[in-house]
Amino acid sequence: MTAADAPTSQRTTPAGAPTAAASSGATALADGCAELAVALDIGGTKIAGALVDRRGTLRARARRPTPPNTPAPRSATRPAPPRTGPVSSGPEREAALRTGHGAPHPGMEPQPRTGPELEPDQGREPAPGPLRDAAPGLDAAGDEHAAETVMAAVTEVIAELARAPEWARVTRCGIGSAGPVDAGHGTVSPVNIAAWRDFPLHARTEAELVRHGAPVPAVLVGDGVAMTAAEHRLGAARGCRNALCMVVSTGVGGGLIVDGRLHPGPTGNAGHIGHISVAVDGAPCVCGARGCVEAIASGTAIAGWAAGAGWRAPTEDRSAAQVAAAARAGDRVALAAFDRAGRALAAAIAGTATLLEVERAVIGGGVAAAGDVLFGPVRRHLETYAALSFVRGLTVVPAALGADAGLVGAAAAAFELLPDGADHAP
């Protein structure tokens, strides 16, 4: 597909076009900053790219859908724990509805993955089983073909950006990818892109940049870390010395600000709060562990638990958005589903704050669009879990940036983590 054939949402945007970052107060003068970063936001539904200046303004952009890729078999080293039926009837369900706290312990029952989250492009989409190793029924050549099909979409995005007049001002590249990522080795193994296992995304991206006349350095971080960089630079965590930022969507990711700086960790995954266990005997998670925040509070988990507890969606396409609408209308099961998710999030936030003394938790992603239906339970349960004096002042706020947070954050990570002396642009 050529740029001319692409839908409007996939075409390169003229320089200075309005963006979500701009609408959130990240506007720049028409001439902008001279220095630009190539930003890539790679997930299970889309591969987006942009040229971004230091003020967070997107000067040009491109987008492609993530190509379908064959799912891989379960890891031989991390089998999925056996599943049992959800709490859909009996005393436990009645107790959950009476108290509004979900099951007696969040995550004790598994979450059927039934329906999309509120905004499919925001956040990471979990695979239907634990982390995968390779594509089923494929030989090495088949695996390589599937991996290259996905990489071809990345190269198309870079090629389209390279045709923008601003390309000559590129000095660096930031890559935000669904995880896990391994920044130390430059590889990615996204749960939602089964064809990529230890895929050398960093080296391949730098090679594509060179091919288009931009021999510049690149940095690789997880998508939650990229969102954190954006919110700290331009959004709801701006000015915070220590903060936790989260994406709650079909998956749950996050990142950390420590002592006023982005803290990606050695592999680029620091702050991955979605895979903190808040229920030691809880539901199996896609990562292979049990009781993870993602298995309880993601959009798919909320919709799945509500359906298992007797909530009936108005359409066959059950989603967290529909559960949120039902909760606003007073549906007891829907309210219990969000209370349960809020409880899990509060426990994880309080634990992180106790370890790192973060002053603010920022929650973005599709599920955060539920507003007070989500934030009300999170704040209420936080009063219980954040019990120590030095974490009682912790605040929980919604993210300020919109759908472009991943791109703005990938660029922000490049500007912060790559020293100016590292520039190699001609």
Side-chain angles (χ1 to χ4, degrees):
M1 179 175 65
T2 66
D5 296 328
T8 302
S9 62
Q10 294 182 15
R11 294 179 188 169
T12 303
T13 301
T19 67
S23 65
S24 302
T27 56
L29 298 175
D31 59 349
C33 300
E35 188 178 10
L36 297 178
V38 177
L40 296 175
D41 180 16
I42 298 174
T45 61
K46 57 89 175 63
I47 294 170
L51 303 183
V52 187
D53 67 23
R54 284 186 176 270
R55 293 186 177 105
T57 303
L58 276 64
R59 297 293 175 179
R61 63 192 303 163
R63 175 174 168 141
R64 297 290 185 274
T66 303
N69 54 98
T70 306
R74 292 182 173 181
S75 167
T77 59
R78 299 193 70 174
R83 293 179 178 266
T84 58
V87 178
S88 57
S89 61
E92 288 185 345
R93 176 173 179 263
E94 291 303 314
L97 298 183
R98 283 196 307 271
T99 63
H101 295 314
H105 194 299
M108 289 296 288
E109 65 282 346
Q111 308 311 307
R113 304 250 162 205
T114 57
E117 86 296 10
L118 284 152
E119 300 177 23
D121 280 348
Q122 294 188 6
R124 300 165 302 99
E125 302 75 13
L131 206 59
R132 315 302 203 196
D133 288 333
L138 295 178
D139 56 18
D143 284 342
E144 182 177 357
H145 175 75
E148 291 302 322
T149 299
V150 179
M151 186 62 203
V154 179
T155 62
E156 286 182 14
V157 167
I158 294 174
E160 186 170 338
L161 293 175
R163 294 194 290 270
E166 297 87 355
W167 184 255
R169 293 157 52 190
V170 166
T171 63
R172 63 193 71 207
C173 175
I175 310 165
S177 173
V181 305
D182 185 344
H185 293 90
T187 60
V188 298
S189 302
V191 173
N192 52 352
I193 303 178
W196 279 3
R197 289 295 167 262
D198 296 323
F199 186 80
L201 179 60
H202 183 276
R204 292 293 300 274
T205 298
E206 285 195 333
E208 284 301 314
L209 294 171
V210 169
R211 194 163 72 89
H212 291 283
V216 301
V219 64
L220 171 66
V221 296
D223 53 0
V225 174
M227 175 265 194
T228 301
E231 290 293 335
H232 185 237
R233 193 178 187 92
L234 300 166
R238 191 171 186 175
C240 290
R241 291 287 299 170
N242 299 285
L244 166 68
C245 297
M246 306 172 63
V247 179
V248 183
S249 189
T250 45
V252 178
L256 294 167
I257 300 298
V258 178
D259 291 334
R261 295 187 60 82
L262 182 67
H263 180 72
T267 67
N269 295 286
H272 202 344
I273 195 168
H275 295 285
I276 290 177
S277 178
V278 292
V280 293
D281 296 318
C285 179
V286 295
C287 72
R290 280 187 172 272
C292 292
V293 174
E294 183 170 302
I296 300 168
S298 68
T300 45
I302 291 169
W305 187 89
W311 170 73
R312 295 293 176 260
T315 67
E316 293 183 2
D317 185 20
R318 294 178 298 197
S319 69
Q322 293 174 331
V323 180
R328 292 188 193 97
D331 185 284
R332 293 188 303 160
V333 176
L335 287 166
F338 269 93
D339 187 271
R340 178 175 177 273
R343 184 182 179 189
L345 290 169
I349 291 169
T352 303
T354 302
L355 285 173
L356 297 174
E357 292 195 64
V358 300
E359 62 204 79
R360 184 173 301 169
V362 176
I363 303 179
V367 175
D372 287 343
V373 170
L374 176 69
F375 285 91
V378 171
R379 290 166 178 150
R380 184 172 62 253
H381 288 298
L382 196 61
E383 293 178 2
T384 299
Y385 287 106
L388 295 173
S389 60
F390 62 90
V391 292
R392 287 178 188 159
L394 172 66
T395 58
V396 178
V397 300
L401 302 180
D404 286 333
L407 290 169
V408 174
F415 284 124
E416 180 169 346
L417 299 176
L418 293 173
D420 290 339
D423 299 343
H424 298 288

